[in-house]
Amino acid sequence: MERLGVSRAACEKRVRFRDPRGKFHGGAFAVNRFVFHAAPPGPRGLPARTLVVAACVFPPLLIAELAAYEIVARNRHCRFLNR
């Protein structure tokens, strides 16, 4: 990680995604980039890519996604979730 220019502390705080151009994205934006790039090509990946684009175009969806990501990120070490 250090070799790529991202500290371990940064990765423990937020999920990180490195896009094909080498730029790092964090948090909910990293999840969006991952889903967009990992979706299968063609019509099979269309629902996933459409959801990502909708979250970026409609501010209420983006705000809901950011809030949901923060809730999950803050509770990632919760004993209830990690049995």
Side-chain angles (χ1 to χ4, degrees):
M1 291 181 295
E2 299 289 337
R3 186 171 41 104
L4 297 173
V6 178
S7 69
R8 181 180 179 95
C11 290
E12 288 178 357
K13 185 176 179 184
R14 298 191 173 286
V15 67
R16 301 288 175 190
F17 177 74
R18 184 175 177 214
D19 68 18
R21 293 178 290 159
K23 184 177 178 185
F24 282 95
H25 305 275
F29 298 107
V31 173
N32 284 347
R33 293 285 180 148
F34 173 77
V35 169
F36 195 82
H37 288 290
R44 289 186 52 222
L46 191 59
R49 288 191 301 274
T50 302
L51 188 60
V52 169
V53 170
C56 293
V57 172
F58 299 113
L61 287 177
L62 182 59
I63 291 169
E65 179 187 14
L66 292 170
Y69 178 83
E70 287 301 319
I71 291 169
V72 171
R74 287 183 184 168
N75 293 298
R76 78 172 55 131
H77 298 295
C78 176
R79 283 190 286 165
F80 177 73
L81 297 174
N82 297 315
R83 289 185 177 190

